[in-house]
Every structure is written in structure tokens, then in C-alpha cells.
Amino acid sequence: MKQNEMAVIMNGVGKKYRYGQIGAGTLQGDLKEWYQRKKNARNQERADTEDAPYQIGETFYALKDIDLTIKQGETLGIIGKNGAGKSTLLKLLSRITAPSEGNIKIYGRVASMLEVGTGFDGELTGRENIYLNGAILGMKRAEITKKIEDIITFSEVGDFIDTPVKRYSSGMYVKLGFAVAAHLDSEIMIMDEVLAVGDMAFQHKCLDRMKAAAKQEGKTVLYVSHNMHTIRRLCDRCIVLDKGKLLFDGDVDTATAIYLGAEDIQQIRYEFDADYRPYDKNIRLNKRFNMDVLEVLNTSVPEYEEGEVPCLRLTCTSEQYFPKVGFRFELWYQDGTKTGTMLSGNTAEIKEGKNVLELRPDLTHLTPGQYRADLVAYLYDSDGNEDILDGVYPGFAFTIRNSLNERHYLDWHHQYWGHIRLHDMQVARLPYLEREIDGQ
Amino acid sequence: MKTNYTYIESNDSGFRLNLKELWDYRDLVLLLTKKTFTLSYKQTVLGPAWIIISPLLSSLMYIVIFGVIAGMSTNGIPQVLFYLSSTTFWTLFAASLTSNAYTFLNNAHIFGKVYFPRIAVPVSNVLVNLIKFAIQMIIVMGLLIFYTVKGDVHPVWQLWPLLPLVLIHISVMGMSFGVIVSSLTTKYRDLSILVSFFIQLWMFGTPVVYPLTQLAEGSTIREIMMYNPMTAPTELFRYILTGQGTVLPGYCAASVALTVACALIGIIVFNRVEKTFMDTV
């Protein structure tokens, strides 16, 4: 049966890298590094006792023990945090680099779109580049000739096709690149977020094209993305990678929930260390104010009914006096879409030293599901300018229970309706108008 | 289940030359050749005419320096023909080497994003050089016919079928050296600085701008030069073309043996590097 044919089989695949710069680039540098490694080996015992994160020359696994079977016609989403091994996996499958352990069987031709327009040369015209790019991706000249009209139409570059691509806008360049890749006759297509480019209409077109490739032409699609929406739109199976290991393999909803860290949603005490401030450098100009601990009170599980008001206690340290500090929760739904933002209705006076504050977010309007809230403390002036004092990502995670009461019989469809249930509208029958209409 | 699949094994390195795969990608080789060719002469005044002009200019330079000023003998071969044919022949070898010496570094951006048999790039570079050589040979042939009719040179026509073999031999030798160098430059970039210097030195160590007979029979320098794998092919080429030159069958065989060895080493090194160089570059 065609449906059961295999596309990719990976057996215990691992990829090892070495910490530090690999190869110093000069012979002298390599000798130095080699000496360094020798020395490290001798001092291994000492290094172990010290709190060294790693030694130069030590190896680590970007991927380890990956067993994966992909059937033909499947669209597989690959998600994971940065450094989880997604790109390494794609590189192995597209044969850019070889595995250090295990083996891979690939049935059919692989078209990898780790970048659009690979090998485009600015001096060549669009048409010449289609041929070159197509050939690099493994197409025959005759195949390209057969498809070139489709490719040109799809790319929307029109009359510019015989102009050197160095005169193209970046959008046109990307569209042309994708058009070539999308028309490959390969059985397996690998994409690394190339869709994150181009205008919205074109992105939709690309996704539809990939969907058609999978559903109608029976192609296998492997897709890496941080955007849970496109994953959901395109994929019917999803794997989650974490620190080089396969964490989950199965349906898309569970996978996205796991990826978004739904498993740590039980937390009721947060100690905000550096892990909570990944963007610190970009947003915080000063270190005058620091949020230290957030505790969720009066409950052992952060689960609430819609409309409940949790009680949170925030401990912070300040190096100076601030008369008015505002706080806000920026809410994210479990699929990674922003739900909305909740500002503190008033401000808090912050004195030098330790401060203990109570936060009482009102959870009215939130629909059932899991949310994470980034907590931001900021100063602001009457012109609407803000100065961020501190931000933690996330500051608080919680679940809104799906409790059936008379207003909530309906299952909430987050993907169509959003995550906020606005104020109810009233509906009433007007019997006297019915009589009037009947009377005519 | 389909039986034809690509098998990627972790510990497979060593000798593997997938000619079938290269043949599958023949259109890519041709397109790369065409691209290199078009791009070298875009935005130049004279365009492809440079293919002919540059060897003419260097021949002119050699005539002035070695022929007129140094007064070196050309064994009775007219100077224009002597220098032009030698430079053309040497350039085929040198260009095959240098154009491939940076294969990995220059193509890192493509190699890092998509798979195709990497050997397609060196092969297309050699094709470019062979085409340029063919164009340059038109002028050489013109001169050769002119001087043959005049009676100054006597080509050894019965050996002409050997010519393609000689040309393939030196292209493959150049390519193999280039590929080995390019594989090493992924790790040691300082090597690339040496290449152009080394090529120049090698040219003067090869009977390109002077005939081998210029060196006294049995002298040490001549003994050393015989070990240069380019010496025998250059002299053979000159002999076939003009009837003047030293044919050294033993050294020719040694040169071919060296080429085969280099090609094998080149393939092994190239295979090793092509699989993992994206991790080091």
C-alpha cells in the first residue's frame, strides 16, 4: 500500500560536536589547541572539582539517540527551543553534514530549503538563476524547462525574469527562490522556516503549496518552525526536541503544549534568576530594580475559574526610591499567541531595599486553557513613554479551568475566536414585530 | 517497499567516488561551467577576448625577457610559437590547480545549505579551463600551420592522438592537487597564501619558458627537474607539436602514476572533508 511506504528511517542517530572553536584555522593555532587539550586531560581531576561548564576540546551531543520513522506523505513538524538540535537534524537529513553515530535511510530525493535562493548569483538573470538553483537542488535541465513557466508565474516576478537578480528587491529574490524549491520533483521536502519571509499573501501561498504537495502529490514534508500556527496549519504530526533528545513524537496539539512548557504550569513559587531574563540586555538599561520572588497564595495548583482573582505576592529589591512603579502582565496562550496585556490599575511606591507587593490580576474574559504571563515593572511619564525597570519571562503561568456552567456549554475554539471572551451581548425575541409582519 | 534509498552511515569514510551520482548531476556541472564562464567576463570591456589576449601578453613578455634580453635558445622553434604554446599548456595545469584550491572556502555558503555531489564544482572548473585552452589552441594552431608550411617546425602528426590523453592527464593532476589543497585550506587557511607563490615557483621549475635541453645532460639541476611531474608532459607536448623536445617515456609513466595516486588521495581527502567540513569551516 502506497500510504505505508517509508520516507525516512533514522536509527540511533547522534551528532557530536566539540566545545570551543573547532580547528583554530592555522597550524600554529591547532598545535596550541592540541597542547591545551593534552594539558586539560592531565588536569582533568582538578577541572572536575572546579565548577567549569566545559573544557575546550570536550565533546557534546547536538543530537543523541534519535530513532525516527517518517512515512511517505506525512507532514512532520519539528519544534524545540534554540539549541535543541532542530537545525542539526535537518542538516543530517539534507546530507550537509554526516552523523557521528547511527544511520539514516532516505527513500527518494530530498529537497532541502534551509535557505531560499541558495546559489543565486546577482549577475545572472532570474531565468538563468532558476536553472542554476534548480540544478543545485537536483533537477535536470529538461525538468526545469518543463516547469519554468509555472515557476515564473508562482514567483510573481513577471517581466523582471530576464533582469539580473542583483536588481531585485529582497522580496522578489525570496519569492523566486521559494518558487524554484516548491516546484522540485523530490519526494521529501525539508524546510527551515523559510516561510518567515515575504509578504503575508505570499506566505499563505507557500503554506498552501506545501500542503498541496503533501496532500495531493503525496510528498513528505519536514518543517521546522517557531510559529505554532504554521505548524498547526501544515503538519499532521509533530516532534519536540530538547537538548538533542527526542522529547515527544505524536499529535500537534500535545507537541505544541509540551514545547510551550505546559508541564511546568504547576509552579506556585518563582525565583527569578537569569533564566527568566533572556532578553535582559535589550530591554533593561539599568539594574536599579529587581523582581526576586513571586508566590502564588491560597492555592496549591494555579488553576482558576474564569473571573477569579488570584492572589500573588511579589518580593523585589530596589537600589533607589521610585514614587510610582507600574506593573503589567503580558499574557500568552499555550499555542504561543499573545492573548492580551493587563496593566496595574494603580502604581506602587517602591522604597530603597526590600519591598513586598501584592498583585491581584483579574482573570475575567479569559477562556479555558493554559496561559503564561510575562511580568514587567516599568516607570512612565505623562507623555506615555515608558522605562522598563525589570521583566521576567514568564512571571506567572496558570490554567483556566473548563468548567461547564450555563454560559460555557460551548467548547471554546481558540484558533478561530481568539482567547478573550468579550462582554456578552443580549439577545431577545420581539413578539410584537412578529405580529406586525404576520399581519401584512 | 521501495528498495532504492540513500543510506547514510556514521562511520563511512574513505574511498568512494560516486560517478553515477555525478552523472545524475551532469546538468549542474554544465550550468556551473556556463556560470563561471559568463561571470568571468561580465562587466569587462573586451569580454571573452581576454582568453586570447592574456596568453598573448605573457608570451610577449617572455619573448622580451627570456628571448631578447636573456637570449635563451628555443631549439629553433619560432619564439612566438614556443612561448605561446608553452604558456597555454602550463596555464591549463595551473588554472586547474588554483581554481580548485579554494573550492570549499568559496562555496561554503552553498555547501552549507544544500546537498549535491561536491565534486561537481572541481569538475566544472576543469571544464572551464579546458574550454579556455581549446580557444587558445586556435591561435596556437594558426601559428603552427603557418610555421609548418614555412618549414620551420615539423609536427609529429602520428602522435597527435596522444594529445587529449596528455591534456586530461595534466588537468586531472592539477585538479587533484587543487582538491587536496582545498581540503586542507578548510582547516589551515594560511595554506591558501602559499598557493599562488608555489605555482609561480613550479612554473620556473618546469621547462615552460626554456627547453629542457637548455640544462646540461647529467647536471644536478636537470636530475632534480626530472622529478617534477610536469616536466615530462610539457616536453612531450612540445615534441608532438613541433618535433622539438625531449621524450622521456619512463618519466611520463611516473608522472601518470603520480597523477593516479594524487587523484586517489584527493578523492579520499575530499570525501572526508565534504562530509564534515560544514562543522569546521
Side-chain angles (χ1 to χ4, degrees):
Chain A
M1 208 166 84
K2 206 178 160 60
Q3 281 299 306
N4 283 329
E5 277 185 26
M6 294 300 156
V8 176
I9 299 174
M10 297 179 88
N11 269 323
V13 170
K15 177 72 184 172
K16 229 176 344 186
Y17 282 105
R18 207 180 282 157
Y19 276 114
Q21 202 190 353
I22 304 165
T26 60
L27 190 56
Q28 188 201 4
D30 249 19
L31 288 174
K32 259 191 205 162
E33 204 194 90
W34 173 79
Y35 174 70
Q36 191 71 32
R37 241 182 285 158
K38 276 268 179 212
K39 212 171 75 181
N40 283 341
R42 225 181 300 142
N43 297 346
Q44 196 60 56
E45 216 170 308
R46 191 184 57 83
D48 283 347
T49 55
E50 277 171 31
D51 201 16
Y54 63 82
Q55 291 285 314
I56 298 289
E58 199 181 312
T59 55
F60 75 100
Y61 283 93
L63 274 184
K64 179 126 181 76
D65 300 330
I66 302 292
D67 293 304
L68 188 65
T69 305
I70 306 166
K71 284 180 192 158
Q72 247 180 38
E74 254 183 333
T75 45
L76 180 78
I78 300 165
I79 53 181
K81 300 196 171 61
N82 287 330
K86 303 179 303 261
S87 304
T88 309
L89 184 68
L90 292 200
K91 278 186 179 169
L92 290 179
L93 286 174
S94 45
R95 301 177 68 189
I96 286 158
T97 181
S100 343
E101 287 170 9
N103 58 61
I104 308 172
K105 281 179 204 164
I106 299 171
Y107 298 82
R109 273 203 287 180
V110 175
S112 60
M113 285 177 258
L114 302 192
E115 182 191 73
V116 283
T118 305
F120 269 19
D121 197 296
E123 300 287 342
L124 300 178
T125 68
R127 196 184 297 274
E128 286 168 325
N129 268 312
I130 291 178
Y131 276 103
L132 186 62
N133 195 227
I136 285 177
L137 292 168
M139 277 200 268
K140 296 250 161 38
R141 208 188 164 83
E143 284 178 65
I144 305 170
T145 309
K146 214 164 64 190
K147 289 186 171 175
I148 194 151
E149 286 313 317
D150 288 345
I151 295 174
I152 296 170
T153 316
F154 189 92
S155 71
E156 301 170 357
V157 300
D159 294 340
F160 289 96
I161 197 66
D162 291 313
T163 309
V165 297
K166 64 178 174 186
R167 311 229 184 281
Y168 279 25
S169 72
S170 54
M172 285 161 70
Y173 190 93
V174 162
K175 286 177 180 185
L176 188 65
F178 185 85
V180 180
H183 286 81
L184 286 180
D185 241 348
S186 47
E187 287 80 22
I188 302 165
M189 305 183 103
I190 296 181
M191 289 195 303
D192 191 0
E193 273 193 303
V194 288
L195 298 178
V197 286
D199 51 68
M200 221 163 61
F202 192 75
Q203 284 186 36
H204 268 269
K205 192 165 151 183
C206 296
L207 271 178
D208 289 340
R209 171 82 192 105
M210 300 319 300
K211 240 192 151 105
K215 296 287 171 289
Q216 286 148 37
E217 297 159 37
K219 288 182 184 174
T220 311
V221 177
L222 309 186
Y223 181 53
V224 163
S225 179
H226 284 108
N227 187 332
M228 296 304 128
H229 274 307
T230 45
I231 289 268
R232 211 169 290 234
R233 228 170 96 91
L234 187 62
C235 305
D236 43 39
R237 180 181 157 196
C238 191
I239 60 169
V240 185
L241 290 175
D242 186 47
K243 297 188 185 98
K245 295 214 170 72
L246 195 61
L247 199 66
F248 176 81
D249 181 354
D251 68 291
V252 178
D253 283 327
T254 320
T256 48
I258 287 174
Y259 166 65
L260 293 159
E263 80 276 25
D264 64 19
I265 206 118
Q266 303 293 329
Q267 209 169 332
I268 54 165
R269 185 187 157 87
Y270 294 84
E271 282 172 38
F272 298 127
D273 53 19
D275 286 349
Y276 285 89
R277 297 184 176 85
Y279 318 112
D280 216 13
K281 261 191 299 207
N282 305 334
I283 60 147
R284 198 149 63 127
L285 301 168
N286 50 64
K287 292 250 178 200
R288 294 167 292 173
F289 179 83
N290 212 59
M291 294 192 274
D292 304 322
V293 177
L294 183 114
E295 289 164 280
V296 185
L297 303 182
N298 305 335
T299 178
S300 55
V301 193
E303 282 188 17
Y304 304 97
E305 297 284 322
E306 192 251 300
E308 251 189 284
V309 183
C311 189
L312 310 173
R313 186 178 293 159
L314 176 70
T315 315
C316 29
T317 321
S318 181
E319 282 172 23
Q320 68 183 83
Y321 171 77
F322 295 107
K324 283 170 142 193
V325 175
F327 290 86
R328 67 168 179 262
F329 275 122
E330 296 172 11
L331 266 61
W332 301 83
Y333 184 63
Q334 67 194 48
D335 67 357
T337 50
K338 208 152 204 171
T339 308
T341 296
M342 185 188 296
L343 300 179
S344 56
N346 56 344
T347 53
E349 191 182 353
I350 298 291
K351 62 172 175 43
E352 207 182 310
K354 221 163 201 53
N355 293 269
V356 180
L357 308 171
E358 188 184 64
L359 300 176
R360 295 188 60 89
D362 180 349
L363 302 185
T364 313
H365 297 312
L366 290 182
T367 48
Q370 287 164 345
Y371 296 85
R372 331 176 105 220
D374 299 338
L375 178 56
V376 179
Y378 59 101
L379 300 172
Y380 62 98
D381 62 19
S382 54
D383 294 331
N385 302 313
E386 71 161 0
D387 183 3
I388 290 178
L389 287 173
D390 193 12
V392 283
Y393 310 88
F396 176 41
F398 58 92
T399 306
I400 297 287
R401 267 196 293 265
N402 192 0
S403 47
L404 293 176
N405 58 44
E406 67 176 275
R407 286 202 311 203
H408 291 149
Y409 284 136
L410 195 59
D411 235 8
W412 190 266
H413 293 289
H414 287 271
Q415 66 270 45
Y416 304 120
W417 303 347
H419 318 303
I420 300 281
R421 197 175 52 79
L422 296 173
H423 269 303
D424 296 344
M425 61 177 173
Q426 299 305 318
V427 57
R429 266 189 69 193
L430 303 175
Y432 64 96
L433 280 181
E434 289 169 6
R435 278 195 296 276
E436 259 178 43
I437 294 164
D438 282 345
Q440 278 175 353
Chain B
M1 191 179 280
K2 257 191 288 179
T3 44
N4 55 324
Y5 57 81
T6 316
Y7 187 65
I8 307 171
E9 174 71 65
S10 56
N11 49 4
D12 123 65
S13 57
F15 186 80
R16 175 173 49 82
L17 178 64
N18 198 339
L19 283 176
K20 187 194 169 294
E21 196 181 27
L22 183 64
W23 178 248
D24 285 342
Y25 275 85
R26 61 188 178 276
D27 285 337
L28 176 63
V29 175
L30 295 179
L31 280 163
L32 283 174
T33 309
K34 196 181 147 205
K35 175 197 157 191
T36 317
F37 217 79
T38 4
L39 289 190
S40 339
Y41 301 107
K42 264 201 176 158
Q43 296 204 345
T44 56
V45 181
L46 297 172
W50 279 111
I51 298 172
I52 287 166
I53 295 169
S54 43
L56 280 176
L57 283 178
S58 43
S59 302
L60 189 69
M61 191 178 79
Y62 296 144
I63 291 172
V64 172
I65 296 173
F66 299 104
V68 179
I69 299 176
M72 275 189 193
S73 141
T74 54
N75 278 357
I77 305 166
Q79 283 183 339
V80 187
L81 181 62
F82 181 89
Y83 290 114
L84 191 66
S85 61
S86 310
T87 9
T88 307
F89 186 72
W90 174 259
T91 307
L92 175 63
F93 169 75
S96 297
L97 200 164
T98 47
S99 64
N100 285 318
Y102 310 102
T103 307
F104 282 108
L105 289 183
N106 286 347
N107 294 292
H109 60 288
I110 304 178
F111 286 5
K113 294 293 178 190
V114 64
Y115 175 82
F116 56 88
R118 309 306 193 205
I119 200 88
V121 175
V123 170
S124 85
N125 283 337
V126 167
L127 280 183
V128 170
N129 295 323
L130 280 172
I131 293 169
K132 287 185 185 168
F133 177 81
I135 295 169
Q136 289 162 354
M137 275 307 277
I138 296 171
I139 306 286
V140 174
M141 285 308 291
L143 286 170
L144 188 67
I145 289 164
F146 175 75
Y147 286 114
T148 311
V149 172
K150 237 180 116 194
D152 288 345
V153 289
H154 312 282
V156 190
W157 296 113
Q158 62 272 30
L159 285 181
W160 277 64
L162 264 182
L163 265 187
L165 294 179
V166 178
L167 299 179
I168 290 170
H169 168 214
I170 64 157
S171 317
V172 172
M173 178 157 57
M175 183 175 96
S176 306
F177 279 121
V179 159
I180 293 171
V181 169
S182 86
S183 303
L184 291 173
T185 45
T186 59
K187 278 200 81 136
Y188 307 115
R189 302 215 179 172
D190 33 8
L191 201 68
S192 58
I193 305 164
L194 280 175
V195 171
S196 56
F197 173 74
F198 184 71
I199 281 285
Q200 209 136 37
L201 201 69
W202 195 346
M203 188 185 100
F204 289 114
T206 308
V208 174
V209 291
Y210 52 86
L212 189 63
T213 48
Q214 189 78 8
L215 306 169
E217 191 101 27
S219 66
T220 328
I221 187 126
R222 183 167 168 155
E223 286 301 309
I224 295 169
M225 271 188 57
M226 300 297 266
Y227 287 104
N228 172 356
M230 274 302 286
T231 301
T234 310
E235 282 291 320
L236 180 63
F237 178 74
R238 190 170 291 146
Y239 176 72
I240 294 173
L241 234 60
T242 64
Q244 289 288 336
T246 324
V247 184
L248 309 149
Y251 287 97
C252 275
S255 175
V256 171
L258 184 79
T259 300
V260 171
C262 279
L264 292 180
I265 294 170
I267 288 166
I268 290 170
V269 176
F270 196 80
N271 280 345
R272 280 182 77 100
V273 173
E274 83 169 355
K275 289 180 76 181
T276 51
F277 100 105
M278 275 326 299
D279 308 333
T280 52
V281 100

